[in-house]
Amino acid sequence: MSPQITALIAIVIGLLFCFAGYKIQKMLITIVWFALGFMLANKIGGYFISSTNLLLVIEIIVGIIVGSLGYKLEKLALCIAVAYLVYITIGPYIKGFEKEVIFIIHIGVSLLVGILSTLFIKPILIVVSSIAGANIIKYYLPTLITLSSNVLLIVVIVIAILGILAQFKIR
């Protein structure tokens, strides 16, 4: 494949990230978890079910259930990770109380921040996907056209900002 074709494909992917990154992310997570559920049902169901049609129906049902749960588990994982980071970060700053009270404050604040982080997952992913898409474009655009580094930087910033604005508008 020529460098120009590769650059065009990469730029299209970068534009998809910029303008639809959040929606793509949700779809990819669901597809991956669906595939895991489908394969799990195939492995386990193959031992108990002899009918290939019935096995296929069960695989699809389990895939749909696991795909739906998979997206929810991502939020749970984010909540746990943020809560843990808060827990290990705030420990030295809570002083002047009994051990039990410090523990309750420590756990309470950590869980609260972890739960709040799941409320902000969408804006975070929108901004990150737009910036990532703009960086892909920045890397491959010089393969197709010659731009000074200053003009390229301006183009990339404008594309990232437009991508962020477009994704927040779409919801």
Side-chain angles (χ1 to χ4, degrees):
M1 189 177 310
S2 73
Q4 290 80 13
I5 299 293
T6 302
L8 280 172
I9 293 169
I11 289 170
V12 168
I13 291 170
L15 289 170
L16 281 171
F17 277 26
C18 276
F19 293 96
Y22 182 72
K23 290 193 182 286
I24 291 171
Q25 175 265 349
K26 289 171 77 173
M27 179 182 67
L28 290 177
I29 287 172
T30 304
I31 289 170
V32 167
W33 281 98
F34 172 85
L36 289 172
F38 188 92
M39 289 185 293
L40 180 66
N42 178 279
K43 293 292 182 194
I44 295 172
Y47 292 113
F48 304 106
I49 301 169
S50 59
S51 169
T52 56
N53 291 336
L54 178 61
L55 182 60
L56 179 61
V57 169
I58 290 173
E59 290 167 348
I60 290 171
I61 291 170
V62 170
I64 290 170
I65 291 169
V66 173
S68 299
L69 291 174
Y71 183 70
K72 301 295 181 197
L73 291 177
E74 180 194 32
K75 287 184 177 184
L76 177 63
L78 174 72
C79 177
I80 291 168
V82 170
Y84 175 72
L85 289 173
V86 170
Y87 184 84
I88 63 175
T89 303
I90 67 170
Y93 302 106
I94 302 174
K95 296 178 183 176
F97 298 100
E98 294 179 24
K99 274 186 167 182
E100 294 81 14
V101 175
I102 289 174
F103 181 74
I104 291 170
I105 292 171
H106 209 166
I107 293 292
V109 170
S110 299
L111 287 174
L112 179 64
V113 174
I115 291 167
L116 287 174
S117 71
T118 62
L119 300 175
F120 299 107
I121 192 170
K122 184 175 182 175
I124 291 167
L125 290 173
I126 286 173
V127 170
V128 167
S129 68
S130 293
I131 292 171
N135 277 320
I136 292 170
I137 294 167
K138 177 184 156 205
Y139 184 79
Y140 285 99
L141 192 58
T143 305
L144 300 176
I145 57 175
T146 305
L147 296 171
S148 71
S149 60
N150 292 336
V151 172
L152 182 60
L153 180 62
I154 291 169
V155 167
V156 167
I157 290 172
V158 168
I159 290 172
I161 291 171
L162 290 174
I164 290 169
L165 293 174
Q167 287 192 70
F168 276 115
K169 183 180 176 188
I170 292 171
R171 292 189 189 211

